[in-house]
Amino acid sequence: QVQLVQSGPEVKKPGASVKVSCKASGYTFSNHGISWVRQAPGQGLEWMGWITVNSGSSIYAQNFLGRVTLTADTSTSTVFLEMRSLTSDDTAIYYCARKPRTAAVFSDWGQGTLVTVSS
Amino acid sequence: DIQMTQSPSSLSASVGDRVTITCRASQDISDSLAWYQQKSEKAPKLLLSGSSRLESGVPSRFSGSGSGTEYSLTITSLQPEDFASYYCQQYFTIPLSFGGGTKVEI
């Protein structure tokens, strides 16, 4: 079955960077894009961007342009989210999610990674 | 960018009730709408896409309808496991966007 397993919780200071991983299994990795969605405490869902794994090309939401980089390692079926210049507003759970071929929805999700930004 | 407005933001219901959640898009999204269920501290789960297409394994008490800018999710005969938050999401255009969520409480 499809599984997306994310790296563990992170605690960072303001201004730092964080890199979160999402390891995929149970499907042909290169056939599906991966999106990242975040959820601040008690808040709703916010789409951050997605990566087309077979080409490595990415699309980012305007709020994250220039501050977030998505990469993929096809040899390990892993996608990475790197976010720079963290502030307390970036404290959230970060989810990776698989995009099916037919629509830009999120059919399978990782378990989430809590990133806490605090001085 | 397309804004998604969900209503209500929360509602109280009882087991067996019929519940309807509405999602309004700021422009026509041509049925490019999905619904997700999120239970506390868990990742969301895709329930429907294409505004009314039920995902495999999702109970038939969940249904979606609508067109243009107005869409709804209906749960007939609410079950204890349905108490959760629900989000709509448009995928008509980038950036993808979610509604603010509806919390269904007892």
Side-chain angles (χ1 to χ4, degrees):
Chain A
Q1 75 280 20
V2 174
Q3 275 198 306
L4 299 173
V5 179
Q6 298 183 222
S7 49
E10 302 267 8
V11 179
K12 296 292 182 181
K13 293 195 181 303
S17 298
V18 69
K19 194 168 187 176
V20 180
S21 67
C22 170
K23 184 172 177 59
S25 62
Y27 69 97
T28 302
F29 181 66
S30 58
N31 285 355
H32 297 267
I34 294 284
S35 265
W36 289 86
V37 174
R38 77 175 183 180
Q39 186 170 36
Q43 302 300 308
L45 303 169
E46 182 180 20
W47 178 72
M48 300 177 68
W50 94 46
I51 183 166
T52 302
V53 167
N54 57 6
S55 67
S57 63
S58 302
I59 301 173
Y60 301 97
Q62 186 67 33
N63 284 353
F64 301 99
L65 208 53
R67 203 162 68 91
V68 165
T69 302
L70 303 182
T71 55
D73 181 346
T74 55
S75 69
T76 59
S77 299
T78 304
V79 172
F80 299 92
L81 162 72
E82 182 175 24
M83 181 179 285
R84 299 171 289 278
S85 303
L86 293 168
T87 72
S88 57
D89 289 342
D90 295 316
T91 294
I93 298 174
Y94 290 76
Y95 294 101
C96 62
R98 187 178 76 135
K99 171 192 168 308
R101 284 177 162 179
T102 53
V105 297
F106 313 111
S107 57
D108 304 277
W109 294 68
Q111 83 276 20
T113 296
L114 176 61
V115 175
T116 303
V117 183
S118 173
S119 55
Chain B
D1 296 2
I2 296 177
Q3 311 302 319
M4 304 300 292
T5 304
Q6 233 178 290
S7 60
S9 56
S10 66
L11 64 90
S12 294
S14 301
V15 173
D17 283 356
R18 178 187 178 95
V19 164
T20 297
I21 298 166
T22 297
C23 191
R24 175 178 294 172
S26 59
Q27 66 184 71
D28 188 340
I29 57 172
S30 298
D31 293 347
S32 299
L33 186 94
W35 289 97
Y36 299 85
Q37 176 193 65
Q38 185 180 33
K39 297 183 180 179
S40 67
E41 309 300 325
K42 298 293 186 186
K45 173 187 175 183
L46 178 63
L47 298 176
L48 298 99
S49 60
S51 110
S52 61
R53 185 170 56 248
L54 212 60
E55 293 298 307
S56 175
V58 175
S60 58
R61 63 181 180 272
F62 290 91
S63 65
S65 64
S67 63
T69 61
E70 298 276 343
Y71 298 87
S72 62
L73 172 70
T74 298
I75 312 170
T76 56
S77 190
L78 201 64
Q79 297 301 299
E81 60 268 29
D82 301 335
F83 290 94
S85 292
Y86 293 85
Y87 294 90
C88 62
Q89 177 234 330
Q90 69 79 19
Y91 53 97
F92 181 72
T93 190
I94 299 295
L96 309 177
S97 50
F98 292 91
T102 297
K103 188 171 185 179
V104 178
E105 302 173 295
I106 299 173

